Amino acid sequence: MTSDVVLQLDAFVTPGTRLRKARLESGLSEREVEDQLNLMPGYVGILERDDYQSLRSPAFARGYVRAYGQLMKLDENELLAAFDEQRQNWEQEKKRVETRSLQLQSTGVSVVVGLATLLLLFFMLWWWLGRDQAGAETVSFVPSEFVVAGAEIPAGEQ
């Protein structure tokens, strides 16, 4: 192979594939690397897949890649240059994905207006039912005296 072909092949090798290859050549397991670097379980797999968004804090990914590269005795400058290039590509892709249509942006306002309308209807119903119950209580008729036709009322009780 010529040096141009080797350079072109290296351009497609990601930091994760370099780290994985070095780990496999050294005979270490993912767990052993995580223990040596004091990483959370699963972080080595995430770094080797170049899935930096899955990390608890993707901002630390560059430091994790650097430490992993140092452990594997890889050229730090090449590894971090490949990481930075991949990060730029990821950020450009992220910007493309984050652009939303106008309809999706206005749904937040629609939800707030809908909830406010629902709340208003609830209070109107509550008020209406409360008004009907209050009116029924004031109109209620309780007779205080019963008169039975044909009954004789004793003279002293009138």
Side-chain angles (χ1 to χ4, degrees):
M1 281 191 189
T2 64
S3 63
D4 291 337
V5 173
V6 172
L7 288 175
Q8 287 176 349
L9 288 176
D10 277 347
F12 292 110
V13 177
T14 65
T17 56
R18 289 180 185 185
L19 293 170
R20 178 176 170 79
K21 181 180 176 188
R23 178 182 61 81
L24 292 174
E25 287 175 356
S26 68
L28 295 172
S29 70
E30 288 184 14
R31 185 67 195 158
E32 290 171 329
V33 172
E34 289 167 350
D35 289 342
Q36 289 183 18
L37 295 175
N38 294 323
L39 295 176
M40 298 286 293
Y43 271 30
V44 169
I46 291 170
L47 293 173
E48 290 178 353
R49 287 189 311 270
D50 299 305
D51 186 19
Y52 309 115
Q53 302 89 337
S54 297
L55 295 174
R56 185 175 56 191
S57 177
F60 291 104
R62 192 172 198 270
Y64 295 151
V65 169
R66 172 183 281 157
Y68 192 0
Q70 288 173 348
L71 179 68
M72 296 294 122
K73 296 180 178 42
L74 296 175
D75 184 11
E76 183 177 321
N77 294 328
E78 287 180 17
L79 188 64
L80 292 179
F83 174 82
D84 291 337
E85 183 179 333
Q86 186 173 4
R87 187 171 129 203
Q88 286 175 349
N89 293 337
W90 174 71
E91 287 175 357
Q92 289 173 353
E93 184 67 28
K94 183 179 173 185
K95 286 179 185 176
R96 279 188 239 132
V97 170
E98 285 181 354
T99 58
R100 299 180 294 179
S101 68
L102 184 60
Q103 179 184 4
L104 290 176
Q105 291 175 358
S106 66
T107 55
V109 175
S110 300
V111 169
V112 170
V113 169
L115 288 175
T117 304
L118 186 64
L119 190 62
L120 180 65
L121 289 172
F122 173 76
F123 281 117
M124 286 176 57
L125 181 65
W126 176 68
W127 174 78
W128 182 264
L129 292 175
R131 187 179 64 93
D132 286 347
Q133 288 175 356
E137 289 174 7
T138 58
V139 176
S140 67
F141 177 74
V142 178
S144 60
E145 197 175 301
F146 292 101
V147 177
V148 178
E152 291 185 22
I153 301 175
E157 294 183 17
Q158 283 184 342

